[in-house]
């Protein structure tokens, strides 16, 4: 009897121990290695961008940030670069974001990203250098995610992330104390299991929205990708910069026309012929110039850098008293009042070569330069051979040359050099009057300086020199020729002041192109908001991020946390076996009967 009872008791104890051990091992397997929680995305807001092609640049930055998978991005275009710190703070609190990112695009194709914390203070300013917009888009793809990681992490540490991390240990301490108190009681162990189950269920609930948010965010990312891909597709055919540039100004010039080499004039001619130089002290002109690149309206490739260049200049009518000797054996001087008429136009092709912010140019133009003196003609001569004191000139020429513009901050320095190949020189080569068979050429040089007063407006000043040289041939070529000269020079020195204005004509991210880009993003936003109410889905996962933040401090004291979990589990395991002792009453009568026997 006794051995049998002892054997049954031992068998019951072993079974009970095995059941408890199995339960503990299962519970340890379940609770000791919980599934790794997905890292919470950092909530940030992306504000407005300013500058050329700002909309396209902003769309590219949004795509990079969303595709990184590290950030929960909210678009807040109302917040612009240069806003007050209070504005950044209010917006960050309004959308529950840890940072606000805004951008400024320079005319040279560089991007500056400003990162502002939840308190409105600027965390950092990041510069992404491009030089040209195609290069800037590539730099954004390669550098933005890495460049913003550190500033956004600092914004996270100095904002809600730090507060949540500080609050986690404080919240964990009371919870641990309550768990210790509950462990000392006999009956309550089963009750804490319910909160634990609720917490686990809550974790599952919080994890599910994160998954759903990620799955819901995927279409918005795809939509953003479509938006950016639509801008990427024409990346090589994006509208170019500065399709049109116009300049307007006023010039003051002087002219010197003088003969060189041996000169001769027929004193027997009627009236007597004498070669006199001519000098004009100063006279004003007004000029209009422009450059138009038609290809830049449709592409940012090589065709966008081939354009039409033109210039027109018109001299104000001026009057000068021209003094010449009387040639009558006395020192008498004849005063002649002359009126000047000057004009010039040029038109042709120009190619520009961007070198970072700087620009080199090569051009080929056709031009006409006229300078007429009215009032010096001899009325006694017929129209076939009018005599004048100084020859009128009408130069037709081909002008080929190089120019350059160098930009240093807001200061521009430029220069140009261009030979002029004369195709005709009417009047000066007129037979029987001046110098038939004359040949000549010219050279033009100039320098300019400007200041970028506005992104589209640059006042400028400059100096120019144009000089023509001629070979007249000393030998008369006809009996009617009454003057001979070795050659002559015709020099124009001038200084000017004016302003240049640039017009993007929609190439800088304005106009119809913007509305075409905005449509995909507007369609993408409703897709992300259809499953849930606006703003709430973003706000709900954030509390879920706090438990995850609380889990991190618990991971540090793992040795302490695990025993508590085990004790709770053991106590919880003690509760389930409670029904098993109920089976003992069934066994007890048998043992009592055996004892009675």
């Amino acid at each position: 009897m006794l051995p049998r009872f002892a054997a049954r008791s031992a068998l019951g104890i072993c079974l009970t121990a095995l059941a408890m051990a199995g339960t503990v091992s299962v519970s340890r397997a379940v609770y000791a290695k919980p599934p790794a929680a997905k890292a919470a995305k950092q909530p940030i807001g992306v504000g407005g961008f300013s500058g050329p092609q700002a909309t396209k640049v902003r769309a590219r930055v949004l795509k990079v940030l969303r595709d990184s998978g590290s950030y929960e991005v909210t678009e807040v275009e109302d917040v612009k670069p240069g806003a007050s710190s209070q504005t950044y703070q209010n917006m960050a609190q309004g959308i529950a974001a840890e940072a606000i990112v805004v951008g400024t695009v320079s005319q040279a194709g560089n991007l500056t990203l400003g990162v502002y914390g939840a308190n409105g203070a600027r965390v950092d300013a990041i510069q992404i250098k491009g030089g040209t917009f195609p290069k800037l888009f590539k730099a954004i793809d390669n550098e933005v995610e890495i460049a913003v990681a550190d500033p956004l992490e600092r914004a996270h540490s100095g904002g809600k992330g730090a507060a949540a991390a500080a609050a986690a240990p404080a919240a964990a301490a009371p919870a641990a104390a309550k768990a210790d108190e509950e462990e000392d009681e006999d009956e309550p162990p089963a009750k804490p299991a319910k909160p634990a189950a609720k917490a686990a269920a809550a974790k599952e609930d919080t994890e599910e929205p994160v998954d759903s948010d990620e799955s819901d965010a995927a279409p918005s990312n795809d939509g953003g990708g479509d938006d950016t891909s639509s801008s990427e597709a024409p990346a090589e055919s994006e509208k170019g910069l500065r399709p049109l540039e116009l300049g307007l100004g006023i010039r003051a010039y002087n002219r010197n026309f003088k003969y060189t080499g041996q000169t001769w004039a027929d004193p027997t001619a009627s009236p007597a012929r004498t070669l006199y130089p001519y000098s004009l002290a100063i006279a004003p002109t007004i000029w209009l110039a422009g450059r138009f690149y038609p290809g830049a309206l449709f592409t940012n490739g090589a065709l966008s850098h081939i354009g039409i260049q033109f210039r027109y200049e018109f001299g104000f009518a001026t009057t000068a008293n021209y003094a010449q000797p009387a040639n009558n054996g006395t020192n008498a001087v004849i005063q002649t009042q002359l009126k000047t008429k000057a004009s010039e136009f040029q038109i042709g092709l120009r190619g520009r070569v961007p070198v970072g912010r700087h620009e080199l140019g090569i051009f080929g133009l056709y031009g006409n330069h006229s300078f007429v003196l009215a009032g010096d003609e001899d009325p006694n001569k017929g129209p076939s051979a009018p005599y004048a004191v100084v020859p009128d000139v009408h130069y037709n020429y081909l002008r080929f040359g190089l120019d350059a513009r160098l930009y240093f901050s807001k200061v521009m320095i430029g220069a140009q050099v261009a030979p002029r190949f004369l195709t005709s020189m009417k009047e000066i080569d007129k037979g029987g009057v001046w110098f038939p068979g004359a040949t000549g050429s010219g050279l033009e040089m100039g320098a300019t300086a400007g200041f970028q007063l506005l992104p589209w407006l640059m006042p400028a000043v400059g100096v120019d020199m144009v000089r023509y040289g001629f070979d007249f041939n000393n030998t008369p070529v006809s009996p009617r020729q009454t003057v001979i000269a070795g050659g002559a020079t015709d020099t124009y020195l001038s200084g000017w002041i004016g302003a240049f204005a640039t017009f993007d004509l929609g190439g800088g991210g304005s106009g119809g192109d913007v509305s075409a880009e905005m449509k995909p993003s507007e369609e993408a936003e409703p897709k992300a908001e259809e499953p849930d109410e606006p703003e709430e889905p973003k706000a709900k996962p954030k509390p879920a991020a706090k438990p995850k933040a609380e889990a991190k401090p618990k991971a540090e004291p793992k040795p302490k946390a695990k025993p508590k979990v085990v004790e709770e589990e053991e106590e919880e395991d003690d509760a389930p076996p409670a029904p098993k002792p109920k089976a003992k009453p069934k066994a007890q009568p048998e043992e009592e009967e055996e004892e009675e026997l």
Side-chain angles (χ1 to χ4, degrees):
M1 298 281 298
L2 184 59
R4 184 179 179 184
F5 173 75
R8 289 184 177 181
S9 299
L11 181 60
I13 291 171
C14 291
L15 292 174
T16 304
L18 289 173
M20 292 177 64
T23 305
V24 170
S25 63
V26 171
S27 63
R28 284 182 178 178
V30 173
Y31 293 99
K33 296 181 180 180
K38 295 183 179 179
K41 293 184 179 180
Q42 182 181 2
I44 64 172
V46 176
F49 281 37
S50 63
Q53 300 201 29
T55 302
K56 294 181 181 179
V57 173
R58 181 175 181 270
R60 198 64 158 255
V61 172
L62 281 169
K63 182 179 185 299
V64 171
L65 294 177
R66 284 170 171 162
D67 289 350
S68 68
S70 303
Y71 310 105
E72 185 70 29
V73 180
T74 303
E75 297 188 40
V76 285
E77 289 187 89
D78 294 339
V79 180
K80 303 295 183 182
S84 64
S85 58
Q86 188 63 41
T87 301
Y88 293 118
Q89 181 179 3
N90 293 342
M91 181 56 70
Q93 293 176 355
I95 63 173
E98 295 179 356
I100 301 293
V101 180
V102 295
T104 302
V105 186
S106 70
Q107 193 76 23
N110 298 323
L111 170 63
T112 302
L113 292 175
V115 180
Y116 294 83
N119 60 356
R122 192 178 78 173
V123 178
D124 202 350
I126 307 158
Q127 189 173 32
I128 308 297
K129 294 185 178 180
T132 63
F133 282 90
K135 292 181 180 179
L136 177 61
F137 292 139
K138 292 181 182 178
I140 290 172
D141 293 339
N142 298 330
E143 301 176 19
V144 163
E145 182 178 354
I146 299 173
V148 301
D150 181 63
L152 290 178
E153 179 62 28
R154 279 185 279 156
H156 171 74
S157 301
K160 297 181 179 180
K178 290 180 181 179
D180 294 338
E181 293 176 359
E182 291 171 351
E183 287 173 2
D184 297 335
E185 299 178 2
D186 296 334
E187 297 178 359
K191 295 180 180 179
K194 294 179 181 179
K198 292 180 180 178
K203 288 181 180 179
E204 293 177 359
D205 294 340
T206 55
E207 289 177 0
E208 288 177 358
V210 173
D211 294 339
S212 63
D213 286 346
E214 291 177 356
S215 62
D216 292 341
S220 64
N221 288 344
D222 293 341
D226 293 340
D227 180 11
T228 311
S229 63
S230 64
S231 63
E232 284 180 6
E236 297 180 356
S237 61
E238 284 177 357
K239 296 180 180 179
L241 292 178
R242 207 186 70 204
L244 177 62
E245 175 185 284
L246 293 178
L248 180 66
I250 188 170
R251 180 192 304 273
Y253 73 98
N254 79 328
R255 183 198 185 202
N256 281 284
F257 182 92
K258 64 180 181 179
Y259 297 97
T260 60
Q262 182 180 0
T263 61
W264 173 85
D266 185 0
T268 63
S270 178
R273 297 299 305 272
T274 305
L275 295 177
Y276 295 108
Y278 173 81
S279 178
L280 175 65
I282 190 169
T285 67
I286 187 170
W287 57 266
L288 172 68
R291 297 170 179 174
F292 178 52
Y293 301 87
L297 297 173
F298 313 101
T299 178
N300 199 32
L303 291 178
S304 68
H305 302 309
I306 300 176
I308 301 171
Q309 177 171 307
F310 63 91
R311 181 166 71 92
Y312 178 74
E313 191 162 345
F314 181 77
F316 294 102
T318 57
T319 301
N321 290 324
Y322 183 71
Q324 60 186 22
N327 289 331
N328 54 8
T330 65
N331 294 327
V333 176
I334 302 174
Q335 294 285 345
T336 306
Q337 190 177 58
L338 305 178
K339 292 182 180 180
T340 63
K341 296 179 182 179
S343 65
E344 183 174 14
F345 73 84
Q346 301 172 358
I347 188 168
L349 298 179
R350 180 180 187 271
R352 59 183 176 183
V353 182
V355 182
R357 292 191 60 199
H358 313 303
E359 179 181 299
L360 303 179
I362 182 170
F363 52 84
L365 308 173
Y366 170 80
N368 176 275
H369 186 187
S370 298
F371 192 96
V372 177
L373 287 171
D376 63 342
E377 294 84 3
D378 183 3
N380 297 322
K381 289 285 186 180
S384 60
Y387 169 71
V389 175
V390 179
D392 299 332
V393 294
H394 301 274
Y395 305 129
N396 292 322
Y397 57 84
L398 295 177
R399 177 174 176 257
F400 300 95
L402 303 172
D403 62 25
R405 286 183 178 180
L406 307 179
Y407 292 87
F408 305 95
S409 184
K410 293 187 176 183
V411 177
M412 182 276 291
I413 297 176
Q416 65 169 338
V417 57
R420 295 189 176 191
F421 301 95
L422 298 178
T423 59
S424 69
M425 52 195 84
K426 294 180 180 180
E427 299 296 331
I428 202 171
D429 61 353
K430 189 170 185 178
V433 180
W434 294 113
F435 310 97
T439 59
S441 61
L443 177 66
E444 177 181 350
M445 295 185 294
T448 181
F451 182 79
Q452 198 76 43
L453 184 63
L454 296 174
W456 57 273
L457 181 64
M458 182 173 63
V461 296
V463 293
D464 291 309
M465 187 275 292
V466 179
R467 183 184 179 95
Y468 300 96
F470 305 96
D471 181 4
F472 290 155
N473 189 351
N474 289 325
T475 304
V477 294
S478 71
R480 296 179 54 195
Q481 187 173 352
T482 57
V483 291
I484 299 174
T489 59
D490 193 4
T491 306
Y492 301 80
L493 299 177
S494 65
W496 56 267
I497 184 171
F500 296 95
T502 60
F503 303 89
D504 288 336
L505 301 179
S510 60
D513 192 36
V514 172
S515 61
E517 290 180 350
M518 289 296 292
K519 287 179 182 178
S521 61
E522 290 174 358
E523 293 174 3
E525 290 177 359
K527 290 181 182 178
E529 295 176 356
E530 283 176 5
D532 301 311
E533 297 178 358
E535 300 294 335
E536 291 183 4
K538 297 177 182 177
K540 287 181 180 178
K542 289 167 188 171
K546 292 183 179 178
K548 294 176 185 177
E550 293 174 3
K552 293 179 181 177
K554 290 181 181 178
E556 295 176 358
K558 285 182 181 178
K560 296 180 181 180
K562 287 182 179 179
K564 292 179 183 178
V565 175
V566 172
E567 291 174 2
E568 292 177 359
E569 293 165 355
E570 291 176 354
E571 291 176 0
E572 293 170 4
D573 295 335
D574 292 339
K580 293 181 181 179
K582 293 179 182 179
K584 291 180 181 179
K586 297 179 182 179
Q588 287 177 356
E590 295 177 359
E591 294 173 359
E592 291 175 359
E593 290 176 0
E594 292 176 359
E595 291 175 357
E596 290 177 358
L597 294 173

